[in-house]
Amino acid sequence: MDKTRATLVWRDIPGLEETGFTEPDQWRKKWFIQNSNSSRSGSRYEFACISVAEKREEKEFSPTSAQLVKHPLAFVALVPKDAALFAAGAIAGAAAKTVTAPLDRIKLLMQTHGLRAGQEGVKKAIGFIEAFTLIGKQEGIKGYWKGNLPQVIRIIPYSAAQLFAYETYKKLFRGKDGDLSVIGRLAAGACAGMTSTFVTYPLDVLRLRLAVEPGYKTMSEVALNMLREEGVASFYNGLGPSLIGIAPYIAVNFCVFDLVKKALPEKYQNRTETSMATALISATIATLTCYPLDTVRRQMQMRGTPYKTIFDAIPGIVARDGWLGLYRGFVPNALKTLPNSSIRLTTFDSVKRLITASEKELQKIMDENRKKRDQTGNCTL
C-alpha cells in the first residue's frame, strides 16, 4: 500500500502586500518596474500572486435523483461527515443504554442500598439476585427501565460531546512530529471525559434520583422538587469525584482501545469482531481501575448523604461496608459496561465503514457523469 502523503507548507513572504486589484492597469502601475540597471533592455515584475479557483466539479458532476434512487448508498455521502458521525454515536449510545438498562438499575440499587438502609433500619447490603427480585416485585417489568428515558436523553449530547472533544484534544496533544504519544492519548481521553461529564451531569443526577427514590414518576417532577428543597447546587452534587472518576476511566478505555487496535495486523483492524474484542478488553481494564470512585459519586449524589468530599466518603464506606463496599454492584456494572462498550464502538466503526463505502459509491457516480460529459463534448466536436 502506498502511504505517501502530500504535505502543505505555509511560509511568510517578507514585504508581501495584500491587494484587491481587478483591472490590469492597477497592478501594472504598482508592480511594473523598469530595469534601468540591467545591461539588457527589459523589464521585470516584483510581485507574488495566488489564485483561488472555485471547485465546481462536485456540483457539475453530482448525481441526479434517478442515480441516487438506483444507488441509495451514495446518498449517505451527501450528509456532512460530522453530522453522520454525530448521529451514529447518538443512536449507538441510545441503543446500548436501552439494552443494558435493567443491569444499570440493579447496579444503582446495590450501590446506594447501604446508605438508604441506614435510614430505613434494614440490612446494609443487598445482592444481585435480591436487587433483581426486589425491583420486579415492587415495580414490575417496567421497573427495570425506570429512569432510562433521562439516561437516553443524556447519552445523545454525552456521546457527541465526548466524540468531538476527544478528536479535538487529540489534535491539541499531538507532538511536533504529528504523532500522538501514549501520554497524549491518556490526556485527550481524560479531558474529553471531563468535558462531556460536566455538560451532562445534571441529567445524570436526575436519572439517579428517579431510579432509586420512591414517589417520583417524571424527570420534571424530580427537577422541580430538587430546585425547591435543595437549590441549583444539588444538580452538581458529587461532580468532583465524578470528574476524578471519569477522567481515568475514559483515558484508559480510549487509550487501550486505540493502542490494541493499532497493534493488530492491518487486515484485522477493520473487522467487527476485532472492535468487539478490543472494546471488551479496554472496558474491563478501565472498570476495574475506576469503579470505586463511581460508588463514591453515587453515594454523594443521594439526598441526606453524610459525605461532603471524596475524603469523607471513602473511609465512611469502608467503615460501614468494608473494602468490598467500594465494589458493591460491580458485577451488574461489568455486565452492563462490557456489552455497552461493544455495542457502541462496534456500531460506530460499522457506520464509519458505511460512510467510506458511500463516498466511494458517490465518487464512482461522479466519474461516470464526467465520462459522459467528455464523450458528449467529443461527439459535438
Side-chain angles (χ1 to χ4, degrees):
M1 180 180 290
D2 184 8
K3 295 187 177 181
T4 304
R5 295 183 298 176
T7 303
L8 179 63
V9 180
W10 297 91
R11 288 193 175 91
D12 292 332
I13 303 177
L16 179 65
E17 299 179 28
E18 295 182 10
T19 60
F21 298 153
T22 57
E23 298 297 329
D25 288 342
Q26 291 178 299
W27 62 262
R28 188 173 284 117
K29 289 177 182 178
K30 182 171 179 64
W31 300 110
F32 179 75
I33 300 174
Q34 187 69 34
N35 192 353
S36 58
N37 297 326
S38 176
S39 57
R40 296 177 296 174
S41 60
S43 60
R44 60 190 176 92
Y45 298 92
E46 294 186 343
F47 72 98
C49 177
I50 299 175
S51 298
V52 180
E54 181 183 359
K55 187 177 179 182
R56 299 175 182 173
E57 187 177 286
E58 290 185 6
K59 294 182 179 179
E60 186 176 354
F61 302 115
S62 58
T64 63
S65 299
Q67 287 177 317
L68 287 176
V69 171
K70 188 177 180 181
H71 305 278
L73 183 60
F75 185 79
V76 178
L78 299 179
V79 179
K81 193 168 184 177
D82 287 344
L85 293 175
F86 175 89
I91 293 170
K97 284 295 179 185
T98 301
V99 170
T100 58
L103 290 170
D104 194 32
R105 179 76 202 283
I106 293 171
K107 183 204 73 166
L108 292 177
L109 189 62
M110 291 177 68
Q111 281 183 314
T112 59
H113 184 76
L115 180 61
R116 293 184 296 114
Q119 300 169 350
E120 299 168 4
V122 296
K123 67 176 186 177
K124 297 178 180 179
I126 186 172
F128 179 81
I129 301 299
E130 287 179 284
F132 179 83
T133 306
L134 184 64
I135 294 171
K137 188 180 296 183
Q138 292 184 349
E139 304 173 55
I141 296 296
K142 292 182 179 180
Y144 294 106
W145 279 271
K146 185 179 179 181
N148 185 56
L149 178 60
Q151 180 71 337
V152 170
I153 295 173
R154 169 186 171 270
I155 203 61
I156 293 174
Y158 183 82
S159 295
Q162 198 170 92
L163 173 66
F164 286 108
Y166 184 56
E167 294 301 319
T168 301
Y169 287 126
K170 280 202 297 185
K171 295 176 184 176
L172 183 64
F173 291 118
R174 287 188 187 279
K176 293 181 180 179
D177 57 357
D179 292 332
L180 187 63
S181 65
V182 174
I183 300 298
R185 290 182 190 278
L186 290 170
C191 291
M194 288 190 290
T195 299
S196 55
T197 298
F198 180 81
V199 170
T200 60
Y201 192 78
L203 283 172
D204 193 37
V205 174
L206 289 176
R207 178 183 72 96
L208 173 70
R209 295 289 185 93
L210 186 62
V212 302
E213 292 188 5
Y216 294 120
K217 295 183 178 179
T218 64
M219 187 168 58
S220 58
E221 185 181 355
V222 178
L224 290 173
N225 188 68
M226 288 176 64
L227 283 172
R228 282 196 304 265
E229 297 186 6
E230 304 172 64
V232 177
S234 63
F235 288 93
Y236 286 93
N237 285 343
L239 177 62
S242 294
L243 295 179
I244 295 172
I246 201 65
Y249 178 81
I250 298 299
V252 173
N253 199 357
F254 283 13
C255 184
V256 171
F257 182 79
D258 286 347
L259 292 178
V260 171
K261 284 199 71 175
K262 189 177 179 181
L264 294 172
E266 190 172 345
K267 64 179 181 179
Y268 296 114
Q269 291 180 7
N270 294 324
R271 290 188 177 183
T272 301
E273 56 270 26
T274 300
S275 296
M276 294 182 68
T278 307
L280 287 172
I281 294 170
S282 61
T284 301
I285 295 173
T287 302
L288 280 169
T289 306
C290 308
Y291 188 80
L293 286 171
D294 186 54
T295 300
V296 170
R297 171 171 66 103
R298 296 302 184 187
Q299 296 211 10
M300 289 185 68
Q301 287 176 339
M302 294 293 295
R303 180 194 297 184
T305 179
Y307 310 128
K308 300 299 181 184
T309 68
I310 186 174
F311 302 106
D312 296 332
I314 291 178
I317 294 171
V318 172
R320 187 183 65 244
D321 299 325
W323 287 103
L324 288 178
L326 294 172
Y327 283 91
R328 191 74 65 190
F330 177 81
V331 172
N333 180 73
L335 292 174
K336 179 204 73 166
T337 300
L338 302 187
N340 193 306
S341 295
S342 297
I343 293 169
R344 185 180 176 192
L345 293 176
T346 303
T347 302
F348 191 71
D349 279 353
S350 298
V351 172
K352 285 198 294 185
R353 289 196 294 271
L354 179 67
I355 292 172
T356 301
S358 69
E359 290 172 347
K360 292 179 180 178
E361 189 75 12
L362 179 63
Q363 188 60 47
K364 182 180 177 181
I365 295 174
M366 292 175 67
D367 290 341
E368 290 176 356
N369 290 344
R370 187 183 298 106
K371 285 182 181 180
K372 290 179 182 178
R373 199 281 307 266
D374 292 341
Q375 290 174 356
T376 304
N378 291 335
C379 291
T380 303
L381 292 175

